[in-house]
Amino acid sequence: MSYVFTPAPQAQLDVTGSQDKFPVRRVYCIGKNYLAHIHEMGSDERDPPVIFQKPADAVVPNGGEIAYPIFTKNYHYEGELVVALKSGGYNIAVEDAASHIYGYAVGLDMTRRDHQAAAMAKGMPWEVTKAFDQSAPIGPVTPVETSGVLEGGRLTLKVNGEVKQDADISLMIWKVAEIIAKISEQHRLMPGDIIMTGTPAGVGAVTSGDVLEVAMEGVQPLRVTIGGPAA
Ligand code: MN
């Protein structure tokens, strides 16, 4: 058996302290998970968590340079903690959730913000605003044996060296274990699934030439440069 053309490569992330790669299956994302970000977006803080996906081939391991995407004039960063799973299932209990974690990374949920408000107003899906090419730069995965289970710690995002986002992940409305449990009520989580856990306040627009840095204690940092227009 052969394919009618060469299949796309397996999406993957580096692993801290190893030559082996973490193979990415799906990219789940949580929206509206920090009160201060909900307030800056003008949303209702009592809403249940928003769960959406990006395609695995939107992952850009370690950042590097990413193109300024087509079809937006308001291209935003969202710095986030990323959880990588080694196992899964349906209906995972909150108290069992940590046993499914392979490790942690920091990532960017890049967003076409101009289309998000329009999509929400019309009750339309978020694909166009969230699920485009190169929309998920993610740093190396640090295994949980090294990092420990992360329930607190300072997450920061800098643009051109200036701090724009600075929050403790303990401020998440839905904690990591609750997120894993919630997603597994709707989807069978599997090894290789990664979860972008939502962004704190301070989101903003970037343009070609800007340098984004996301950092969190105990996790490898991510550095991304915004390149010229996608072609
Ligand atoms: Mn986000």
Side-chain angles (χ1 to χ4, degrees):
M1 200 281 282
S2 61
Y3 295 103
V4 295
F5 51 82
T6 305
Q10 168 68 51
Q12 60 187 39
L13 296 171
D14 286 344
V15 174
T16 308
S18 173
Q19 296 300 310
D20 295 337
K21 305 289 185 181
F22 180 92
V24 177
R25 191 186 81 115
R26 292 187 182 173
V27 182
Y28 289 101
C29 304
I30 298 296
K32 303 182 180 179
N33 205 23
Y34 292 83
L35 271 183
H37 176 59
I38 289 175
H39 293 155
E40 76 179 346
M41 298 298 290
S43 299
D44 184 342
E45 64 190 53
R46 293 162 301 181
D47 282 348
V50 175
I51 298 167
F52 59 96
Q53 291 185 50
K54 291 174 184 270
D57 71 355
V59 168
V60 183
N62 288 322
E65 183 172 295
I66 60 173
Y68 191 99
I70 66 166
F71 204 60
T72 186
K73 291 185 167 57
N74 194 16
Y75 178 44
H76 272 212
Y77 58 80
E78 295 189 356
E80 309 198 359
L81 175 70
V82 178
V83 180
L85 301 186
K86 64 182 178 190
S87 55
Y90 282 132
N91 293 316
I92 295 167
V94 171
E95 54 270 28
D96 295 335
S99 70
H100 297 284
I101 296 174
Y102 176 80
Y104 302 91
V106 290
L108 286 161
D109 169 14
M110 299 305 292
T111 300
R112 288 165 165 154
R113 192 72 74 200
D114 37 1
H115 293 286
Q116 189 174 30
M120 288 167 80
K122 291 180 191 165
M124 299 282 283
W126 283 26
E127 252 106 344
V128 70
T129 163
K130 294 291 194 180
F132 53 92
D133 292 346
Q134 297 190 307
S135 61
I138 297 174
V141 178
T142 299
V144 67
E145 291 79 11
T146 302
S147 65
V149 173
L150 297 180
E151 291 174 336
R154 192 173 169 193
L155 177 75
T156 60
L157 177 139
K158 293 179 187 173
V159 180
N160 302 325
E162 186 182 336
V163 176
K164 299 286 191 181
Q165 294 189 285
D166 184 355
D168 198 286
I169 63 158
S170 64
L171 295 172
M172 286 181 187
I173 298 168
W174 298 88
K175 312 304 182 196
V176 168
E178 294 172 321
I179 290 168
I180 292 169
K182 275 281 170 198
I183 295 173
S184 75
E185 291 175 4
Q186 301 179 9
H187 306 279
R188 189 203 307 272
L189 287 169
M190 297 283 282
D193 288 347
I194 61 175
I195 303 168
M196 307 191 78
T197 57
T199 200
V203 300
V206 285
T207 190
S208 294
D210 285 344
V211 177
L212 299 175
E213 294 170 280
V214 190
M216 165 135 185
E217 269 171 62
V219 179
Q220 294 288 302
L222 171 68
R223 190 175 195 271
V224 175
T225 302
I226 310 300

